[in-house]
Amino acid sequence: MVAQKQDKILIVGAGCFGISTAYHLLARGFTDVTVIDRSDILPAPDAASTDLNKVVRTSYSDPYYTQLARDAIAAWKDEEMWGDTYHESGVLVVGSRDETPYASKGYENDAAIGARIIDLPTTDAIRSVFPAGVKLGGFNEVSAYLNKDGGWAFAAQGVARMTAKVVEMGGRVEAGVNVTGLARKDGKTVGVVCRDGKTIDADVVVAAAGSWTASTFAELELGDRCLSTGQSIATIQLTPDEGARYREVPIILDFSSGFYMFPPNQDNIVKMAIHETGFTSYIVNTDGGKGISTPRTVTSHGSDGLLIPQSRAKMLRTKLGAVYPELAEKPFSGTRMCWYTDSPDGDWVIGYYPSDAGLVLATSGSGHAYKFLPVIGSVVADTIDGTLDPALVSKFAVNRESVKIDLSRAPAARQDLAGEVFCTPGDLLP
Ligand SMILES: Cc1cc2nc3c(=O)[nH]c(=O)nc-3n(C[C@H](O)[C@H](O)[C@H](O)COP(=O)(O)OP(=O)(O)OC[C@H]3O[C@@H](n4cnc5c(N)ncnc54)[C@H](O)[C@@H]3O)c2cc1C
Ligand SMILES: *[C@@H]1O[C@H](CO)[C@@H](O)[C@H](O)[C@H]1NC(C)=O
């Protein structure tokens, strides 16, 4: 299945996958590229890609992602394109010496690509990479390494800049267009149907609706390959003085607990989260079926969509206290549920839908796609024009049999938000 350069390409979703795909199609000479998004404001306030910051790391157990992240970092350094979006703070990877297989493989892969890494085998060595004014807890009986070739990206700004570039290159980006399903003829996708009843025709539809993909395209039954899971994040507002003292800390990424945390951003806000199983949010079908897990966000639920479970606020504060005890004495200034789109093996879903030359899926970021914003669209564009390496076609195929299972993404049991108590303002206090 191969699209031609003059074909009409319609991309549903202006997040990381969608906007990067538009950019790379235009860059290689596609002439009719449109991106539509349900949100009236772009980047969409509740998109996974719209955030204060995201970790940019090459430390992956799979060398494919290590190399692709290396390529992405090289691209992030183009300041004409990205301005100050990328901050090379370094990434402190905790758990590197066999304690956590993912981290130790990450170390090997980082070393193999020649990343600037510093082995930190002892507690004292780990503490030595932090600025003098920062009070530290923890780091007992763990090893770590610092990868200086990594850091974080001001996520919302990255998407906004790439969107502006797409428009400059002749792409169309339309906000406030809410897709409710596919238009199909003789088994082939020929466009999409919108909530207002309108149909938009296309030669190829690219479904890149993030954690709304499974619920938007319910007829594809993608629920277990593009599973929407809610993750809890919290922020703390530092004073200018605290901001100055913590400014030069690296990203902390603890692969044994999943806890990760950023240096202060330009507004002296620090963000933390746990890369974990997360919560489904099943909307029960009228026929009694369990339905499709669907994000609960500020757009669908107003400010309630920002609330995280009480249990997660407690967990975040405990993990924070083990790293920065002083900051754990401060109130959380904000929380947010942010929605991953998970595949069982943690690999993306990028490919033509089986026996449908009119439909390409580009999703299932599985909690780690943002860092690839500059380059991920070239993988999707290779898919669309039929030039993707066959090994990658299989790796990302919609209907692949998962050979490995990523237990962090497909656990034996996963909690549903329905069983949780959400935070009250009191739960944000220390
Ligand atoms: C808490 C959290 C932390 C993360 N941390 C990191 C990290 O540190 N590093 C990293 O690399 N990655 C990280 N990720 C993962 C990364 O954010 C995602 O993999 C990536 O942003 C997914 O992009 P996307 O384009 O699939 O989805 P999104 O960015 O959500 O975009 C989907 C778009 O589709 C639109 N849409 C949805 N439904 C419709 C519809 N029916 N019609 C029209 N438009 C529609 C939405 O409005 C949205 O704009 C994190 C994710 C979360 C939630
Ligand atoms: C998009 O349409 C769906 C299905 O009708 C609806 O539930 C949702 O609220 C709409 N979203 C927006 C942002 O308009």
Side-chain angles (χ1 to χ4, degrees), residues 55-60 62-78 82 86 88 106-117 145-151 348 368 371-376:
V55 179
V56 177
R57 60 168 160 115
T58 53
S59 315
Y60 271 89
D62 175 343
Y64 169 77
Y65 293 115
T66 297
Q67 184 55 51
L68 193 66
R70 179 91 162 165
D71 298 345
I73 289 172
W76 278 121
K77 289 182 177 167
D78 174 358
W82 301 109
Y86 174 60
E88 199 149 84
Y107 180 89
E108 284 167 27
N109 289 334
D110 277 345
I113 58 163
R116 292 174 297 152
I117 54 182
Y145 72 101
L146 180 69
N147 184 344
K148 293 183 159 189
D149 290 322
W348 306 321
H368 68 99
K371 66 183 68 61
F372 301 98
L373 176 66
V375 298
I376 201 166

Side-chain angles (χ1 to χ4, degrees), residues 12-18 36-39 44 46-49 51 54-55 177-179 208-212 216 231 233 260 262 271 338-341 362-363 365-371:
V12 182
C16 167
F17 278 92
I36 54 178
D37 199 287
R38 79 199 217 296
S39 178
D46 60 345
S49 311
D51 204 345
K54 300 285 189 197
V55 179
V177 185
N178 190 354
V179 171
S211 47
W212 296 269
T216 299
Q231 309 283 327
I233 69 175
Y260 60 98
F262 295 81
K271 187 186 111 177
C338 179
W339 293 81
Y340 283 6
T341 316
T363 185
S366 301
H368 68 99
Y370 183 86
K371 66 183 68 61

Side-chain angles (χ1 to χ4, degrees), residues 122-137:
T122 64
T123 306
D124 283 347
I126 297 171
R127 298 171 75 99
S128 75
V129 305
F130 289 87
V134 170
K135 289 201 181 63
L136 293 170

Side-chain angles (χ1 to χ4, degrees), residues 14 32 62 69 80 126 141 144 262 266 308 351 417:
D32 191 345
D62 175 343
E80 199 201 311
I126 297 171
E141 285 162 27
F262 295 81
Q266 70 278 13
I308 62 173
L417 268 185

Side-chain angles (χ1 to χ4, degrees), residues 11 17-27 33-35 166 169 173 377:
I11 300 169
F17 278 92
I19 209 69
S20 185
T21 299
Y23 172 87
H24 283 279
L25 287 173
L26 292 162
V33 177
T34 303
V35 187
V166 162
M169 292 163 85
V173 179

